Amino acid sequence: MKKIILITGASSGMGKETARKLIKEGHTVYTVARRIDQMKDLQEIGGHPIKMDVTIEADIENVVGTIIKKEGKIDVLWNNAGYGLYGSVEDVPLDEARKEFEVNVFGMAAMTQKVVPYMRKAKSGTIINTSSMGGKMYFPMGAWYHASKHAVEGLSDCLRLELKQFNINVVILEPGFIATEFGSVLLDGFSKIRKDSAYHSMMNKIEEGTRKAAEGKGSSQPSVISNTISKIINTNKPKTRYRIGKFAKPMVWMRTYLGDALFDKIVMSQI
């Protein structure tokens, strides 16, 4: 059945790949991101790109209002906008950490607050929140990113219980390593940290591992995500969590069942 879908963070990677697939499946897909020029190709195949910043409330109100005025409803909201912030807790400026939470957590919450009233009125809808396998485990130099994704997990779990009475599904997507811009963002973040950092050696090792993963087969293609999102949208009873992509399931399994000391040892053995 044709659905009205709103996707944030759709200018590249998982969001863009999935938007293409859903448009081809016949859905009406609204895609939003700050870089609207990178969504022109989606418009050419029938998508509806709109420029939006998830940290600006007026932008969100404009997008939701535009869709409701034209379509009368929003069946699916995929909160996919987000980015990785890397560096030691000591080195990363708190203003940068706050920005990470503004996008990854509060931006997602703001989108949800604006869309839920319409889903609640319709007594139907699906909200998909992009977390990460990093929302269930941790890695050095990723404190602020992991903290934001742990927050996404907790917020989504509470939201699911609150909205169940209104027949609104809340689904948590937990990707593993996916071939997107994520690795380059990580490396860019490191380059901004002072060169005399006490953690320089660790940063070098993580950079080396990131490059090897990008060059080899260390990541899954975005199509594994687009296929999963399509499955979620086209089922009446989606699962609560979808752990998908390279290393997602084994890493979370190890974190869950091996205990802190052993998991710490495994992680540090890789760097």
Side-chain angles (χ1 to χ4, degrees):
M1 183 175 70
K2 179 179 178 181
K3 294 184 178 180
I4 310 301
I5 302 168
L6 171 56
I7 303 174
T8 69
S11 62
S12 64
M14 303 186 307
K16 191 170 191 177
E17 180 79 16
T18 302
R20 286 196 192 100
K21 181 176 180 63
L22 297 176
I23 292 167
K24 291 177 181 177
E25 289 179 354
H27 299 291
T28 299
V29 182
Y30 286 83
T31 57
V32 297
R34 289 178 297 120
R35 301 175 296 181
I36 191 169
D37 56 306
Q38 294 192 20
M39 298 188 290
K40 289 180 180 178
D41 54 335
L42 296 177
Q43 185 173 20
E44 291 171 358
I45 63 172
H48 304 275
I50 306 175
K51 185 176 181 179
M52 193 198 82
D53 187 326
V54 296
T55 66
I56 300 176
E57 186 175 4
D59 279 11
I60 297 172
E61 290 178 344
N62 174 63
V63 167
V64 174
T66 297
I67 298 173
I68 293 298
K69 184 176 180 180
K70 187 172 182 180
E71 310 293 346
K73 63 175 182 174
I74 297 173
D75 296 309
V76 178
L77 167 63
W78 180 18
N79 285 309
N80 179 59
Y83 69 99
L85 175 63
Y86 283 83
S88 73
V89 173
E90 181 180 349
D91 287 336
V92 174
L94 289 183
D95 282 346
E96 290 296 316
R98 292 186 182 98
K99 182 180 176 182
E100 172 88 333
F101 269 72
E102 283 294 333
V103 175
N104 290 9
V105 182
F106 295 112
M108 179 191 76
M111 287 297 306
T112 300
Q113 287 185 337
K114 299 301 182 184
V115 171
V116 161
Y118 298 102
M119 290 185 172
R120 185 163 43 76
K121 185 177 179 180
K123 287 185 168 50
S124 70
T126 296
I127 297 172
I128 305 168
N129 291 334
T130 298
S131 177
S132 165
M133 70 176 184
K136 292 293 191 182
M137 40 78 70
Y138 50 85
F139 204 73
M141 298 288 136
W144 294 112
Y145 173 72
H146 287 290
S148 74
K149 292 305 184 180
H150 276 70
V152 168
E153 294 275 342
L155 188 152
S156 300
D157 283 334
C158 294
L159 183 68
R160 181 178 68 256
L161 299 182
E162 294 167 2
L163 298 184
K164 188 177 181 64
Q165 62 185 311
F166 303 114
N167 195 37
I168 300 171
N169 299 311
V170 177
V171 177
I172 305 169
L173 187 69
E174 297 175 340
F177 292 152
I178 308 295
T180 65
E181 295 179 344
F182 190 89
S184 62
V185 170
L186 182 154
L187 298 177
D188 287 343
F190 277 179
S191 69
K192 296 176 184 177
I193 295 174
R194 62 183 186 272
K195 296 300 182 182
D196 61 344
S197 170
Y199 308 90
H200 197 64
S201 176
M202 180 178 285
M203 290 163 63
N204 287 340
K205 292 177 182 177
I206 292 174
E207 283 182 347
E208 182 181 352
T210 300
R211 289 195 176 93
K212 285 182 178 179
E215 294 168 359
K217 296 181 179 180
S219 301
S220 297
Q221 292 303 308
S223 58
V224 302
I225 300 297
S226 62
N227 290 335
T228 299
I229 296 295
S230 175
K231 182 190 300 183
I232 294 169
I233 288 171
N234 290 301
T235 183
N236 292 325
K237 293 183 178 181
K239 296 189 296 184
T240 297
R241 282 175 168 79
Y242 288 81
R243 201 164 289 146
I244 196 79
K246 198 82 171 183
F247 301 123
K249 291 180 179 178
M251 287 297 289
V252 176
W253 184 92
M254 285 191 289
R255 175 66 190 105
T256 303
Y257 295 106
L258 298 187
D260 296 337
L262 184 52
F263 185 79
D264 286 0
K265 186 175 182 180
I266 291 170
V267 167
M268 295 306 291
S269 71
Q270 299 304 304
I271 58 174

